[in-house]
Amino acid sequence: MSTMRAVEYQGAGGPEVMRIVERPRPQPKPGEVLVRVAAAGLNRADVQQRKGVYPPPKGASDIPGLEVSGTIAELGDGVDSFGLGEEVCALLAGGGYAEYVAVPAGQVLPVPTGTTLIDAAALPEVVCTVWSNLFMNVRVEKGNWVLIHGGAGGIGTMATQLVAAHGAHPVVTAGSEEKLAYCYRFGAEAGINYRDEDFVEEMLDLSDGHGADVILDVVGATYLDRNLHALAPGGRLVVIGLQGGAKAELDLGLLMSRRASVHGTTLRARPIEEKARIVADVATHVWPLVAAGTVRTAVEVRYPLDQAAAAHEHFDSGEHTGKILLTM
């Protein structure tokens, strides 16, 4: 077949702008593989792209979708690390909401032992985001207090598990007691309902006045000042999302008195070589934890591709937990 089904955003807006269309089937370039997609993970970046506020990087597909699982359908020139028909999952810059996607071989991982082919689509984006930020960047260590905002989401559940697996103390925030209960299933040591409690006070109380050594933040501007107040001396604030806005006033005096640092990162637009290093590190350090059952997927629901708009409606409701997948 020379064509494939894919999801297209026809303008910016709500799920109503999503359409299933026929697109040319991509051809793998040298160093790439073609994956026949079994499932794609839904991420907030897909929603932000749909709203028109997070366009794909230059050269990336306009088709949404930053992670998939599937089988190798074709090998580009120079690729000998995978075989035809091999079950894999992959980190993408775009193109995942489709029946086929071409991806650099360095961004492809084998499906880990104990994970189904479909559910493996829930892993690449969240694992690479969490691992690169918390462990390659700010280096969470045993005994650290780590505050994870949005604990019930895909990033939050993965961060909680990896922090706990490394002997640190994961503390999460979420917007309901039901979501906090969900977080405890993934190893959260404590939970803070941000609607009813002050997470600064609660974090300090939980840590006997020490504060958070690391904060993983998906909110951005509206949390900046309180995050700084919640940090321990030498603490590291990692901002990976801007749900609460992009601009805020930074109290440099407070930052300096805490000897703290603020790190802002995205994964999608990083160079291919950098993504390959992250993927290789994940294969070495995280895949054995998945195979051992120490780290697991957090899939809440699976929608067929032709119900992609319904999947986005569910995500937009704010009621979801863990990961939402689209299946082919």
Side-chain angles (χ1 to χ4, degrees):
M1 289 177 58
S2 59
T3 62
M4 65 178 184
R5 290 188 310 145
V7 171
E8 183 177 88
Y9 295 153
Q10 297 184 348
E16 71 278 356
V17 304
M18 302 172 69
R19 298 287 187 275
I20 302 294
V21 297
E22 290 288 321
R23 286 285 192 96
R25 174 174 161 173
Q27 296 297 314
K29 300 174 184 176
E32 294 184 340
V33 300
L34 183 68
V35 176
R36 182 178 182 180
V37 177
L42 194 165
N43 291 281
R44 185 166 296 278
D46 307 336
V47 172
Q48 296 300 87
Q49 181 179 333
R50 190 199 75 214
K51 293 178 178 178
V53 296
Y54 190 33
K58 184 178 180 180
S61 172
D62 66 313
I63 297 170
L66 304 184
E67 59 187 347
V68 297
S69 61
T71 54
I72 301 291
E74 192 174 339
L75 301 173
D77 289 344
V79 176
D80 57 11
S81 49
F82 295 97
L84 294 176
E86 186 171 348
E87 294 188 347
V88 297
C89 54
L91 176 71
L92 314 173
Y97 289 18
E99 292 179 316
Y100 290 88
V101 64
V103 56
Q107 293 169 215
V108 180
L109 288 152
V111 171
T113 302
T115 303
T116 67
L117 177 61
I118 295 295
D119 286 0
L123 291 171
E125 171 71 12
V126 293
V127 173
C128 289
T129 295
V130 172
W131 185 258
S132 63
N133 282 290
L134 293 188
F135 297 93
M136 297 176 74
N137 183 8
V138 300
R139 300 189 180 279
V140 168
E141 298 176 347
K142 184 177 180 179
N144 280 172
W145 287 93
V146 182
L147 178 60
I148 301 161
H149 290 303
I155 294 290
T157 51
M158 183 55 62
T160 298
Q161 292 180 88
L162 287 175
V163 166
H166 285 79
H169 306 289
V171 178
V172 301
T173 65
S176 70
E177 295 307 311
E178 292 76 15
K179 286 192 174 183
L180 289 176
Y182 180 78
C183 295
Y184 292 132
R185 290 166 47 189
F186 292 90
E189 193 166 308
I192 302 166
N193 186 332
Y194 66 80
R195 299 185 191 278
D196 301 328
E197 300 170 298
D198 183 332
F199 70 76
V200 178
E201 292 181 4
E202 294 296 325
M203 185 68 247
L204 291 171
D205 286 346
L206 288 164
S207 60
D208 293 326
H210 177 74
D213 297 289
V214 174
I215 299 176
L216 184 65
D217 179 45
V218 296
V219 178
T222 56
Y223 270 16
L224 178 59
D225 185 66
R226 284 187 288 163
N227 278 332
L228 293 182
H229 280 89
L231 281 176
R236 293 88 78 198
L237 168 61
V238 184
V239 181
I240 62 170
L242 301 173
Q243 296 174 36
K247 295 183 179 180
E249 186 173 288
L250 174 63
D251 186 338
L252 291 174
L254 177 60
L255 187 74
M256 294 166 68
S257 69
R258 286 284 206 278
R259 305 186 307 280
S261 57
V262 179
H263 304 254
T265 73
T266 62
L267 179 60
R268 187 181 192 184
R270 294 194 195 195
I272 291 173
E273 296 78 12
E274 191 171 341
K275 288 182 180 179
R277 287 195 296 271
I278 294 169
V279 167
D281 221 48
V282 163
T284 299
H285 297 288
V286 182
W287 255 220
L289 297 175
V290 179
T294 305
V295 171
R296 57 193 173 91
T297 58
V299 177
E300 181 200 31
V301 64
R302 304 161 189 84
Y303 287 86
L305 185 67
D306 59 9
Q307 293 181 23
H312 273 235
E313 288 173 1
H314 181 47
F315 188 96
D316 288 354
S317 73
E319 298 302 316
H320 73 284
T321 54
K323 292 289 291 186
I324 299 169
L325 300 183
L326 299 175
T327 59
M328 298 305 136

